[in-house]
Amino acid sequence: MIAAAAIARLAAREANHFRAANPRAFAHHAAATGWFQSVPFHWMRDWPSPVPIVAASATGATLTSIDEQTYDDFCLGDTASLFGHSPPALAVALAQQASQGLSYMLPTTRGAALADRLAAMFGLPQWQVTTTASEANRAVIRWCRGISGRPKILTFNGAYHGAVDDAFVDLNGGVPTMRASLVGQVHDLRDTTTVIEFNDEEALATALRGGDIACVLAEPVMTNVGMVRDAPGFLATLRKLCDETGTLLVFDETHTISSGYGGHGVAHGPAPDLMVVGKSIGGGVPCAVYGFSAEVAERMAALNTSRPSGHSGIGTTLSANALAITAMDMMLSDVITPAAYDPMLRGAARLVAGLEQEIAAADLDWHVTQVGARVEFLTCPTPPRDGGEAKAAMNPELEAAIHLFLANRGILLAPFHNMMLVSPVTTGDQIDRLVGAFADCVRALKE
């Protein structure tokens, strides 16, 4: 157990260290009065440092700030750059596409090649392109409700599906509750969203057998409340119950593409009816895709023929723009390959072993969880079984102090929890520096 006073002392000391080392960042934020709270998007304020680091450039698994600080980057744009910042082949392809037009609102031959690559990688035959994974999740929810005629979706407590309104329902003491952080929500989402705990087979069976759930929208492994692994047999039971009740199974693999080539469903099973992938699939260019089975495609086509013409509520003018198509095609052809996962998984295993060794040496009741190239240390003794347990185990003050300590020593983690990503270009030296800095932080907390 780390004492609260020790956490506060470390946090104050590290904040002073950051102020001294990053004068240009402070000047930048003081001058950026045209941005709300000095940043172009509000969650950029969520870093634990006194002000956000201001990026100057990034390449591979290294980021440099305007204060000329160099960071071993284990955040990697919160998965957007999971396969490294600006892979050379991607940079060349984007420059070439920029000279040929960026958005046509028309299909291209490169888009046809991309569809074939998606089908080969993820095992689903039909695809559509959106601008973000949030948008893809919204589209999938609309299609599932439309083709099933059912009003509700089912999600898991603490799951992450981007900015999709329907997913912002939590369990609070077992009671469905609208997420308190949701801004400006006026409709009660609980009328059309059922939420249960992950790994709860009994609650799942009860909910699905009611016959009003259009789809289950799930991360095959939960990734935004720490990481919560699927209990043995749970995903197989989920697949079986969806088949039994005529419920569509949707995997949001935006984060769990870290599990292996083709994502978690391909690497470990089962296969979903529909899936969503965003962020890393374009190497950081805003784009996402959703794929679906031939049977789902037939039902979607039938729905299209039965409805009046007009806007479907799905997609935007920039959906499937030429730049996004080029980015995804190049990523899938040259960067996100089966061979790329070998160094990612070896590096993640090295990171896990190092962190576990230091946790044991410090006699801490913490543990480490791994989902392929995604690693997380949780400051609790046993892996949480569900989102409720995971949220209860979080220690925001401790996590923020650790993150700031690491940042001051050139190690960048994602700001929202203790997630670390290993890319194909992350080096062994970078991993060892992270482990060493983590050990130094633990020693400082126990002084």
Side-chain angles (χ1 to χ4, degrees):
M1 178 69 71
I2 304 296
I7 297 170
R9 283 195 301 271
L10 181 73
R13 185 166 68 240
E14 294 303 318
N16 288 335
H17 182 155
F18 183 91
R19 290 186 183 94
N22 294 276
R24 294 177 184 173
F26 281 89
H28 168 92
H29 287 286
T33 56
W35 294 123
F36 174 61
Q37 297 182 327
S38 84
V39 291
F41 205 76
H42 63 84
W43 46 242
M44 291 181 180
R45 298 289 309 190
D46 289 346
W47 295 84
S49 46
V51 297
I53 294 164
V54 181
S57 64
T59 182
T62 301
L63 183 143
T64 302
S65 76
I66 62 170
D67 283 286
E68 300 179 352
Q69 304 284 346
T70 300
Y71 298 90
D72 295 325
D73 190 0
F74 290 87
C75 171
L76 294 172
D78 193 20
T79 308
S81 298
L82 174 61
F83 297 91
H85 292 287
S86 295
L90 176 63
V92 170
L94 293 179
Q96 182 180 12
Q97 185 62 58
S99 69
Q100 298 170 350
L102 300 177
S103 190
Y104 314 135
M105 212 174 180
L106 291 167
T108 62
T109 55
R110 190 159 202 162
L114 171 61
D116 291 341
R117 296 190 202 283
L118 289 166
M121 179 175 180
F122 295 108
L124 290 171
Q126 297 279 281
W127 292 86
Q128 292 279 271
V129 178
T130 63
T131 311
T132 66
S134 295
E135 184 190 341
N137 279 320
R138 289 191 194 98
V140 164
I141 289 170
R142 281 190 177 274
W143 281 119
C144 289
R145 284 174 169 154
I147 66 178
S148 70
R150 297 177 178 182
K152 294 185 178 181
I153 68 165
L154 184 144
T155 62
F156 295 104
N157 183 34
Y160 180 69
H161 301 292
V164 178
D165 292 2
D166 301 81
F168 284 101
V169 182
D170 295 325
L171 288 177
N172 189 351
V175 178
T177 307
M178 298 253 282
R179 191 169 298 178
S181 61
L182 188 57
V183 173
Q185 180 62 38
V186 295
H187 302 294
D188 195 332
L189 300 170
R190 294 170 296 182
D191 293 338
T192 51
T193 297
T194 296
V195 60
I196 64 171
E197 292 288 8
F198 197 60
N199 288 320
D200 189 339
E201 294 185 5
E202 183 177 349
L204 178 65
T206 298
L208 295 190
R209 286 171 182 159
D212 57 355
I213 305 293
C215 68
V216 175
L217 177 60
E219 299 174 280
V221 175
M222 295 182 70
T223 64
N224 215 48
V225 281
M227 286 196 293
V228 179
R229 292 301 309 260
D230 51 307
F234 177 70
L235 293 180
T237 298
L238 172 59
R239 175 72 274 178
K240 179 182 177 182
L241 284 168
C242 283
D243 290 340
E244 174 191 310
T245 59
T247 308
L248 294 162
L249 176 58
V250 182
F251 277 169
D252 181 350
E253 295 248 31
T254 298
H255 285 177
T256 54
I257 194 174
S258 65
S259 292
Y261 187 74
H264 201 84
V266 169
H268 303 288
D273 300 302
L274 306 94
M275 71 174 297
V276 167
V277 187
K279 294 188 181 181
S280 63
I281 195 122
V285 173
C287 53
V289 292
Y290 60 98
F292 36 95
S293 68
E295 179 187 353
V296 170
E298 290 177 5
R299 295 171 69 182
M300 290 165 61
L303 177 61
N304 267 344
T305 61
S306 68
R307 68 180 180 87
S309 61
H311 200 296
S312 62
I314 296 170
T316 66
T317 303
L318 290 175
S319 297
N321 67 77
L323 190 69
I325 294 290
T326 294
M328 289 187 286
D329 186 55
M330 183 52 67
M331 287 296 291
L332 265 61
S333 64
D334 278 43
V335 182
I336 307 177
T337 64
Y341 279 88
D342 294 337
M344 295 168 74
L345 299 179
R346 285 197 307 271
R350 178 174 182 159
L351 177 56
V352 169
L355 292 173
E356 288 182 337
Q357 180 176 325
E358 297 302 336
I359 288 170
D363 194 28
L364 289 170
D365 57 350
W366 299 0
H367 73 276
V368 183
T369 302
Q370 178 186 2
V371 179
R374 182 179 296 267
V375 177
E376 188 140 358
F377 63 87
L378 288 87
T379 58
C380 57
T382 57
R385 180 180 169 83
D386 56 44
E389 289 184 8
K391 284 185 279 189
M394 285 183 166
N395 187 331
E397 291 77 15
L398 174 58
E399 293 170 6
I402 294 171
H403 287 215
L404 186 52
F405 183 101
L406 294 176
N408 283 336
R409 284 145 189 86
I411 309 291
L412 202 62
L413 272 58
F416 310 113
H417 42 99
N418 301 320
M419 181 190 72
M420 297 154 283
L421 295 170
V422 178
S423 79
V425 291
T426 301
T427 67
D429 287 345
Q430 288 180 304
I431 292 168
D432 293 344
R433 282 195 292 269
L434 168 52
V435 172
F438 174 84
D440 291 343
C441 183
V442 168
R443 282 192 286 271
L445 285 165
K446 297 191 77 174
E447 286 177 353

